[in-house]
Amino acid sequence: MKPAPFDYYAPTSLAEAAGLLARLDNAKLIAGGQSLGPMMNFRYVIADHLVDLGGIPEIAGIALAGETLRIGATTPQRELEFSDVVAQRCPLLKAALKHVGHRQTRNRGTFGGSVAHFDPASEQPMMCAAHDAVIEIASVRGTRRVPFAEFGVDFMTTALEPDEILAAIELPLWPQGHGWGFHEFARRHGDFAIVAAAALLALGPDGRIARASLTLAGVAVVPLRLREAEAALIGHAPEMAPIEAAADLAGAIAPLADIHASADYRRHLARILTGRALADAAARAAGRSVP
Amino acid sequence: MIAKRNISVEVNGALRQAEVEPRLTLADFLRHTLDLTGTHVGCEHGVCGACTVLVDGRSARSCLTFAVQVDGRAVTTIEGLGPGAGGLGVLQEAFQRHHALQCGFCTPGMLTTLTELLNDNPDPTEDEVREVITGNLCRCTGYAGIVAAALDAARRLREGEA
């Protein structure tokens, strides 16, 4: 339960960090260390070099740029949870973050670290999927921007190359007045989701659904956007019948089965939680408060 | 050969300097290097919360923090929570009054976590107290005494009991 020996580096710029990562063999990046730490203590991960991103100001912090929320990779989950701009402009993210671990882990755990770690039951990659995020990636070869749909490759596997650093996440914001809903089932509050469902809805001038985003976590190797169910909502009034029809589509997926839950149980949760998330989103989009 | 690193950390108000291996966790630095054994080590993978300390006033798992990462920062442990000379603080006295501990293994982590909560939010609801201690496992008390102690301490601190 003690990590294997490693050399430690604390670069103060992104360029310095990228240079270290390009030069060192078997190096790992550490930000908050709340996922990597347990893996190192268990010796699932044995790194020869640890490059700490915590001292690089250019990849920390939250900025509103037009209608995009730019989240520096090393921004702690706590900072997002208590951010006014997140509360006002990206309330789904705030709601989801309350389910990420515990106060002590959110104080140190970072948004970018979780996205790069890419646990299929984590709420943070899920938020990237829900918002069609763009991931900014840096290396000695320069900077590239990857749509989130191309970022997630497979179970715990992303498009990041070994010498690349996840520098920032850009979340395109939904219009003021949009509706949102988030529901999760876990064995205990703060545990990884068995299933989590997130919904975003925007109504057109006619009061009908003009835009929808439905995302599940915990059911597949990557966060799952429910495109068919989203399409089925468009043009309908935000009422129970179309919501139930969309929830039925969520309950028709082919989910993972593991020690925590069977595929049948996950299908059941997917339908129920999607219905609840959509009902909350519809109520908020229509200007009603949600308890 | 791994190079050791020199670190300077303010621990409970006193500057402590040491040469440490990078892989030394903050928990082991506190317990083995500084002999501050009040910080308890339970699961060593961030689940149980027993090792919780405050880093610059924010609760953190000292088993998931390396000592080299707190170079230049201020760490508060259970030994630094009271008024000094073995006295108890308001929260600690409330724990005693409400039987909020039995074996005592989780207590240092509970106290550091709740100290942060009461600093941030002097008037928490019962739900807020329960939410914040989801990150600390207690297998003796059933949590009722801990929640009662936190709410009692919050009330006394608001009413100005030093």
Side-chain angles (χ1 to χ4, degrees), chain B residues 105-134:
Chain B
F105 199 86
C106 72
T107 310
M110 288 285 180
L111 289 168
T112 46
T113 297
L114 288 167
T115 295
E116 179 194 32
L117 175 71
L118 298 184
N119 284 340
D120 287 349
N121 179 0
D123 192 9
T125 64
E126 180 178 334
D127 280 352
E128 286 167 336
V129 171
R130 287 187 178 276
E131 199 275 328
V132 88
I133 59 172
T134 56

Side-chain angles (χ1 to χ4, degrees), chain B residues 17-147:
Chain B
Q17 292 178 310
E19 194 177 55
V20 299
E21 268 193 277
R23 67 164 167 166
L24 186 70
T25 64
L26 175 56
D28 287 346
F29 172 68
L30 293 168
R31 290 176 56 83
H32 300 162
T33 310
L34 303 184
D35 281 334
L36 293 170
T37 52
T39 297
H40 292 168
V41 175
C43 72
E44 293 194 303
H45 65 287
V47 172
C48 77
C51 71
T52 303
V53 299
L54 302 178
V55 177
D56 292 338
R58 299 278 182 231
S59 60
R61 306 282 204 228
S62 63
C63 75
L64 297 188
T65 305
F66 294 113
V68 289
Q69 293 181 293
V70 299
D71 186 21
R73 295 172 180 266
V75 174
T76 307
T77 69
I78 178 75
E79 289 91 345
L81 288 186
L88 296 181
V90 172
L91 181 63
Q92 290 165 310
E93 280 181 357
F95 262 58
Q96 198 174 58
R97 203 160 42 243
H98 291 272
H99 307 288
L101 65 157
Q102 184 175 318
C103 84
F105 199 86
C106 72
T107 310
M110 288 285 180
L111 289 168
T112 46
T113 297
L114 288 167
T115 295
E116 179 194 32
L117 175 71
L118 298 184
N119 284 340
D120 287 349
N121 179 0
D123 192 9
T125 64
E126 180 178 334
D127 280 352
E128 286 167 336
V129 171
R130 287 187 178 276
E131 199 275 328
V132 88
I133 59 172
T134 56
N136 300 77
L137 297 183
C138 172
R139 302 290 81 163
C140 300
T141 66
Y143 298 90
I146 295 169
V147 174

Side-chain angles (χ1 to χ4, degrees), chain A:
Chain A
M1 293 303 295
K2 309 290 180 193
F6 56 83
D7 264 322
Y8 175 81
Y9 306 80
T12 54
S13 74
L14 191 55
E16 186 188 351
L20 285 165
L21 204 52
R23 174 166 68 78
L24 299 169
D25 279 335
N26 189 25
K28 286 292 285 180
L29 298 172
I30 187 167
Q34 302 301 289
S35 299
L36 183 62
M39 294 171 82
M40 292 178 70
N41 287 1
F42 278 123
R43 302 203 181 188
Y44 293 151
V45 171
I46 297 179
D48 290 321
H49 308 280
L50 206 58
V51 178
D52 191 341
L53 300 178
I56 304 176
E58 66 205 270
I59 57 169
I62 308 163
L64 189 60
E67 289 301 296
T68 299
L69 188 69
R70 184 182 163 85
I71 303 170
T74 58
T75 307
Q77 289 139 11
R78 179 205 173 91
E79 194 175 327
L80 291 160
E81 181 185 354
F82 291 102
S83 152
D84 288 338
V85 63
V86 171
Q88 286 156 17
R89 295 304 316 275
C90 202
L92 176 67
L93 174 60
K94 182 181 172 87
L97 283 165
K98 289 188 179 298
H99 295 264
V100 176
H102 309 284
R103 175 67 54 86
Q104 301 100 331
T105 59
R106 294 196 295 267
N107 280 342
R108 292 190 66 78
T110 67
F111 193 77
S114 173
V115 173
H117 184 60
F118 207 59
D119 190 298
S122 166
E123 297 83 359
Q124 291 159 96
M126 180 196 194
M127 288 298 105
C128 293
H131 288 91
D132 298 300
V134 174
I135 309 298
E136 190 178 297
I137 296 170
S139 71
V140 289
R141 288 166 279 125
T143 299
R144 65 187 181 113
R145 294 158 51 79
V146 179
F148 189 74
E150 296 165 25
F151 178 79
V153 174
D154 204 336
F155 179 74
M156 309 283 290
T157 306
T158 70
L160 285 165
E161 298 292 336
D163 67 342
E164 288 185 320
I165 300 169
L166 195 162
I169 297 104
E170 291 182 359
L171 299 183
L173 294 171
W174 280 53
Q176 302 267 18
H178 73 270
W180 58 273
F182 184 87
H183 282 267
E184 171 170 322
F185 183 78
R187 289 288 296 275
R188 297 177 310 163
H189 183 86
D191 283 2
F192 276 110
I194 291 178
V195 177
L200 290 162
L201 289 178
L203 305 184
D206 58 358
R208 292 174 180 272
I209 296 169
R211 201 177 150 203
S213 163
L214 292 175
T215 313
L216 295 174
V219 298
V221 293
V222 300
L224 189 65
R225 276 289 287 272
L226 302 169
R227 305 281 180 189
E228 194 186 345
E230 291 170 7
L233 287 162
I234 304 300
H236 288 283
E239 292 165 355
M240 282 318 290
I243 287 173
E244 284 169 6
D248 284 345
L249 288 171
I253 57 168
L256 302 170
D258 60 19
I259 191 172
H260 303 294
S262 66
D264 271 347
Y265 186 47
R266 282 198 164 87
R267 261 191 293 275
H268 171 77
L269 286 174
R271 180 173 65 80
I272 299 292
L273 298 173
T274 300
R276 289 177 187 169
L278 263 176
D280 286 357
R284 291 187 172 108
R288 297 195 300 274
S289 63
V290 173

